[in-house]
Amino acid sequence: MKLGKIISTATVVCTISLAQMASAAEYLGLNLGDGSFSDIEKQLNSSGASFDTGYGYKGYGNDLKMVKVKSFARFDKFGRTKEAWLKFTPKKKLYNISVTWSDSGDIYKKFKDALDTKYGRASSSGRGFNKSYKYRDGQVDISLDRNTFGFGKDQKTSLIYTYNPALQEVNKMQALIEDDIRKKNAKKLASDL
């Protein structure tokens, strides 16, 4: 009886350990949920990417760092990258990858087919020129967004990966930043009101 409990406990511990190890995964060549800012910066540098690390949520780069990627071979292989952002938690871990391509529809079709095949049917939303398809891969939300406004390359396709366990920490820091901004604004105008 005791041996059964020991084996059962060991199985649970191993399962939890494997789940935690599998919680971070590679998307578009980057370790989402686990990649540190310094590791991602080294990876971008070694691949010859063009990027700018001087960004942050509402200008607070020390608290919620953001990297604007101008070119990166892993993104560019799908088409001309229009815009790409990497967002980090307060602990400098990558939690969000957002890439937008100029796309007349070919990139979108390939992504949609690949995502449907890998993750199953998506939940969709949107109207008019904008459509969004949501997928889930364990603890990662995947969004395929399509904007058909304009002609040819004026249209856009975006692929966004978000590591959900980081959102509580990120939202808390965003609230602190918003509060700091309100206080600074109030202080600037207090004597004039």
Side-chain angles (χ1 to χ4, degrees), residues 27-135:
Y27 297 92
L28 296 176
L30 300 170
N31 291 326
L32 190 66
D34 190 40
S36 69
F37 172 76
S38 60
D39 290 342
I40 299 295
E41 186 177 30
K42 286 176 192 171
Q43 183 179 353
L44 292 171
N45 275 322
S46 69
S47 71
S50 174
F51 61 98
D52 187 349
T53 61
Y55 292 91
Y57 177 77
K58 303 247 176 161
Y60 286 67
N62 289 331
D63 299 311
L64 285 177
K65 188 162 252 339
M66 297 168 60
V67 174
K68 182 177 185 178
V69 181
K70 298 171 188 168
S71 72
F72 178 43
R74 293 297 292 258
F75 299 166
D76 297 338
K77 76 177 186 177
F78 301 110
R80 187 172 65 86
T81 303
K82 185 175 182 80
E83 180 177 49
W85 291 92
L86 308 177
K87 298 178 184 176
F88 295 83
T89 68
K91 294 178 183 170
K92 308 289 189 275
K93 295 289 185 181
L94 180 66
Y95 82 92
N96 181 278
I97 303 167
S98 175
V99 185
T100 300
W101 291 269
S102 295
D103 177 30
S104 60
D106 295 337
I107 296 170
Y108 160 76
K109 178 70 174 133
K110 289 175 188 172
F111 281 154
K112 182 82 169 78
D113 290 344
L115 291 166
D116 282 348
T117 300
K118 187 169 183 177
Y119 301 112
R121 190 176 176 117
S123 62
S124 62
S125 63
R127 55 186 155 155
F129 296 109
N130 295 303
K131 296 282 185 199
S132 185
Y133 303 89
K134 305 287 184 196
Y135 301 87

